[in-house]
Amino acid sequence: MRNAAKIAIIGSGASGIYVLRHILTNANRLGPVVEQFLVFERDAVMGTGMPYSRRTTDRYNLCNISSAEIPKLDRSLVDWLESLDDAALAKHHIERDEIDDGETYSRLALGEYFQSQYRSITDQLKEAGIHVIDHASCEVVDVVDSSGEGGVSIKTANGESFTVDRLIIATGHAFHEDDEAESGYFASPWPMQKLLPRDNGVHDFTIGTLGASLSAYDVVASLSHRHGRFESDGGKLKFVANDNAKDFHIMMHSSNGWLPHLQYEQDEPFREIYRHTTREQMLGLRDRNQRLSLDDFFNSVCRSALSKAFSKDKRPDIVEMLNDLAFTLSDFAEQMTSEHEYDDPFDGMRAEMPEAEHSIRRGKPIHWKEVLDDLMFTLNFHFEWLYAEDVLQYRTTVVPFLMNVIAAMPLPSARTLLALYDAGHLDLVPGRVIIKNKTEGETVVEVDNEGAATEVSYKMFVDCTGQGSVELGQFPFPSLLQSGAVSEASAPLRDRNSIQTIDEPSRDKLTVTPTETRLRLGGIAIDGYYRIVGSDGEANPRIFDIAFPHATGVRPYSYGLQACNTTAAIVVDTLCNILAADSLPHAAPEAVTQAYGDLPKSA
């Protein structure tokens, strides 16, 4: 019998925790063949993750999904909250009689929940004979892979080295961009504490944010609570600025002038890869090059699913449009966007509030949004089948639409925004932003709104656009990079003649060879099982990478915690096949999609 394996996980945040949860579910298969799991965490506390850590986030920052949408770990979030005493609930400003699956809670509350689940799951793994060894305050600085029997070597910042048989990279988001505090420029909001006034001071001036997304709202929430108070006035939330903060103001910049849509009720809170299609149908949509057209996906899968959803929503006008094959994906995005374009986005949010409140209070789903979310989840797990032209169409047409429609804002957050806007302390500026200059004491930006350019200077300007794909040279483990064990994700052009139709920034990312032209997507190449793919095009059987900034080139639609859960299930199932069944997974799409189809349902 071969020696039992050692497996390492780099990162103990949400992705790492869901990996451990699925390992526990499969303990009867993995127990006999796994000696121990080593979990490396650069923070001092295991099981929190960057978005939920006291080191990075703030007590006023809310999760953007309800408790019902969080895949269950050892116990649900609501069950865990109900187990807390009154003092613990009060710390998070939670009333016991208001605990509900449909509510959203602070990120810090979710961080404590994850900590408790990490401890509970690792304790149960130890009882099952699988030992988990924590390495807190232990940053991994390099990974060396040996293709023979040497295994994978993990190098830490304190000079230690560990050798394991398999490695799962689950480092999550990491914002390494350098701030330029002397000019008031911050490359990300994280850690949020760096933006807060010091020594009881105030930001009695206008602050700019690049983006009007949920991250921008985190900045708004944290700063506004330090510069005033929110009061209930006849059932309406009202903001009253402190006497020394009358000039406190936040200006959010959004290229399209949009704010996210509001939270809505769902029939099925958990996304599934094959809810509205089958693996057989998806396989059948591929052309002779085994590639998928975005238009074919929309026509063959999305039209019928969306038509059924709009019928439930009593929108026969949209159903009629979808029944017309001349009505394209771009037309659909434009049509639904036009219904939510307002001269004043805050007035638009106010107008949508009654429908959103009715949806949540009465349990009345908005079916088309939910179905669209499911469809994009499906596409996400087949994204590597797309041609480069389809990837560009997805990025330019679909992504802005999804960020506006699907990135749902919790109703309490929306009420806060409206209170600030009504009090004259918050505005939104449409137009594309270019940072022109960073000097001592200010950052100057140019705002281009349909050809009309203006310059604005800020004492504080915060980039809230989020973390995109890491460039290959930014991959955090240099030995894997230098050895060619990792490569950049890319997609081939369908037609070389289409090069001239591609915009200049994207054209700069084309690699031309005598046989094909490929678009570099950002992030690293992974296969369908999340194994890293080297420069030789071969998947590595020892190293998995589920960090979203690494995989986002071919897995661009994260969907947060639910994507963490689904991805973890894929990796653990693959590990079971490798270690317990002594069988390397087949890379063919037929085998990969079969693995996806066999995944357990979320609960």
Side-chain angles (χ1 to χ4, degrees), residues 488 507-513 516-520:
E488 190 169 22
R507 203 178 302 172
D508 291 340
K509 296 182 180 180
L510 293 175
T511 299
V512 181
T513 70
E516 66 176 355
T517 300
R518 299 186 73 90
L519 174 71
R520 300 190 302 279

Side-chain angles (χ1 to χ4, degrees), residues 53 83 91 124 241 290 315 350 364 369 392 413 432 495 516 540 561 587:
S53 169
S83 74
K91 181 178 66 173
Q124 291 179 68
Q290 310 304 303
R315 290 295 308 270
R350 199 188 321 275
K364 180 178 172 53
K369 291 184 180 182
L392 293 174
S413 302
R432 187 170 62 90
D495 180 1
E516 66 176 355
N540 188 309
L561 296 175

Side-chain angles (χ1 to χ4, degrees), residues 9-11 13-20 167-173 475 524 526-532 543-552 555 558 560 563-572:
I9 305 173
I10 304 177
S15 291
I17 294 172
Y18 281 106
V19 166
L20 292 172
L167 171 64
I168 302 169
I169 299 170
T171 47
H173 289 284
F475 188 75
I524 66 168
I526 57 170
D527 73 353
Y529 305 102
Y530 286 81
R531 300 178 299 180
I532 63 173
I543 302 176
F544 300 80
D545 195 331
I546 59 175
F548 177 67
H550 300 173
T552 189
R555 291 289 181 269
S558 167
C564 292
N565 178 53
T566 300
T567 301
I570 292 168
V571 169
V572 172

Side-chain angles (χ1 to χ4, degrees), residues 225-278:
H225 279 89
R226 268 76 179 191
H227 291 82
R229 64 187 184 277
F230 291 89
E231 302 175 345
S232 179
D233 183 9
K236 178 183 176 182
L237 199 63
K238 180 180 178 182
F239 178 74
V240 180
N242 295 334
D243 290 340
N244 62 346
K246 298 301 183 183
D247 291 329
F248 164 72
H249 194 94
I250 296 179
M251 194 74 74
M252 297 191 295
H253 289 268
S254 166
S255 58
N256 294 303
W258 295 340
L259 287 169
H261 281 210
L262 301 179
Q263 179 187 2
Y264 58 93
E265 183 69 13
Q266 302 178 61
D267 268 337
E268 300 285 353
F270 294 109
R271 306 281 72 85
E272 291 182 8
I273 297 177
Y274 295 127
R275 173 168 282 138
H276 299 289
T277 183
T278 64

Side-chain angles (χ1 to χ4, degrees), residues 261-265 313 315 339-340 342 348-369 411:
H261 281 210
L262 301 179
Q263 179 187 2
Y264 58 93
E265 183 69 13
D313 291 329
R315 290 295 308 270
E339 295 189 6
H340 299 278
Y342 304 95
M349 177 175 282
R350 199 188 321 275
E352 291 180 10
M353 184 69 76
E355 179 188 21
E357 290 176 333
H358 180 73
S359 173
I360 298 297
R361 186 174 58 251
R362 299 287 183 88
K364 180 178 172 53
I366 301 178
H367 297 93
W368 76 267
K369 291 184 180 182
L411 300 190

